[in-house]
Amino acid sequence: MSVILVALGAALGAPLRYLVDRAVQARHGSAFPWGTFTVNVVGSFILGVLIGGAAVGAVPGSLVALLGVGLCGALTTYSTFGYETVRLFEAGRRFHALFNAGASVVAALGAAFVGVALAEALWS
Amino acid sequence: MRPERPPIDPDVDLGDPRQRAELRGGTVSLLGAIAVGGMLGAVVRHGLAVAFPHPPRGFPWATFTVNVSGCLLIGVLMVLITEAWTAPRLVRPFLGVGVLGGYTTFSTYAIEVQQAVAAGAARTALLYLAGTLVAALASVRVGVTLTRLATGVARQRSYG
């Protein structure tokens, strides 16, 4: 059953990543991949809230499958992030490459921790 | 026409006139290809996570494998469709944005680090955090390099 919810969530999450990426790029003309950075941080925060909520029994498992594993899983991406980092490095933008790797990991991790803490504060 | 040099962002690069225009005329087929690809990728990722669960203090091998293999494949795919060949319109949206984007995940990676820390396994968390990053970036590089060698594009082009 959960596989259907995961698929449905992903059917929304993947196109959403594409559209958010376009919208962010249209506003930032820079070579730095802010679009991918944005979806990865936002998705990590939302998954944090869902997992934190599930841990205290406030979010049902079906919602975690739909919005967490499916939507957030497909909204966020490691392949795009990895390719961008390698391409930045290859194109001679070594600072951008290192900053992308460091900032994406730190910000997404921070967002996940804040999401879980927020959910625990809200629902416990 | 191929762009002069490979893009930085493989999902969409508004610096490429073709990609800038791709949402006009065929929005449904474009977003549909991404959605279907995303479903396939996410279902495979979910299947692996269910088949190979990890204990709360254990190393999240399923997501590690997914992210590292997805990075290898995006390297192969992007060289094939932006450097070696000119791909039909929906190939990048379906395989790159959809399948590989839906297959790999940053949010599960982040939350698994958080969960390992919360379970008191700080060393595993750090190892997973750094190990995924290093292995994933190396995989992209290996995928890109081997595919350039195999298709013979390595000598003809510069990648700046």
Side-chain angles (χ1 to χ4, degrees):
Chain A
M1 205 28 229
S2 74
V3 70
I4 295 165
L5 296 170
V6 170
L8 282 175
L12 292 175
L16 193 58
R17 166 162 38 84
Y18 174 85
L19 294 172
V20 170
D21 199 345
R22 282 192 77 106
V24 172
Q25 275 187 45
R27 280 157 190 77
H28 283 270
S30 81
F32 190 80
W34 285 115
T36 307
F37 177 88
T38 304
V39 291
N40 280 343
V41 174
V42 171
S44 297
F45 172 76
I46 299 172
L47 184 61
V49 172
L50 291 165
I51 295 291
V56 295
V59 174
S62 55
L63 211 57
V64 174
L66 179 73
L67 299 180
V69 183
L71 195 145
C72 289
L75 176 67
T76 65
T77 170
Y78 221 94
S79 50
T80 299
F81 157 77
Y83 181 80
E84 285 166 349
T85 307
V86 167
R87 277 290 302 134
L88 284 168
F89 197 82
E90 195 175 70
R93 300 198 175 100
R94 297 192 173 182
F95 173 77
H96 277 136
L98 290 175
F99 181 77
N100 190 41
S104 295
V105 168
V106 169
L109 204 57
F113 272 88
V114 169
V116 171
L118 189 70
E120 284 170 351
L122 271 177
W123 285 308
S124 63
Chain B
M1 278 294 289
R2 280 201 303 249
E4 281 298 306
R5 50 180 83 139
I8 297 293
D9 186 337
D11 280 352
V12 62
D13 183 351
L14 295 188
D16 177 351
R18 253 184 64 185
Q19 291 188 27
R20 178 175 279 273
E22 72 185 352
L23 202 52
R24 288 193 295 271
T27 309
V28 174
S29 63
L30 180 81
L31 295 181
I34 297 173
V36 172
M39 286 169 73
L40 292 172
V43 165
V44 173
R45 164 166 50 81
H46 179 59
L48 288 170
V50 171
F52 303 101
H54 64 279
R57 296 168 60 90
F59 192 90
W61 282 110
T63 311
F64 176 86
T65 306
V66 160
N67 282 337
V68 172
S69 59
C71 279
L72 181 80
L73 293 173
I74 194 88
V76 173
L77 175 74
M78 290 307 288
V79 170
L80 288 180
I81 67 174
T82 66
E83 299 177 35
W85 306 325
T86 303
R89 179 176 161 263
L90 294 179
V91 170
R92 189 195 92 260
F94 176 69
L95 289 179
V97 188
V99 173
L100 293 180
Y103 176 61
T104 64
T105 173
F106 214 101
S107 50
T108 304
Y109 163 71
I111 206 73
E112 282 170 345
V113 172
Q114 186 275 334
Q115 297 281 290
V117 170
R123 247 190 79 209
T124 302
L126 196 63
L127 194 68
Y128 177 58
L129 175 81
T132 299
L133 184 63
V134 170
L137 295 181
S139 288
V140 174
R141 190 81 181 116
V142 168
V144 164
T145 304
L146 289 184
T147 311
R148 278 177 185 160
L149 284 172
T151 54
V153 293
R155 283 173 309 256
Q156 307 159 23
R157 296 169 61 87
S158 71
Y159 306 104

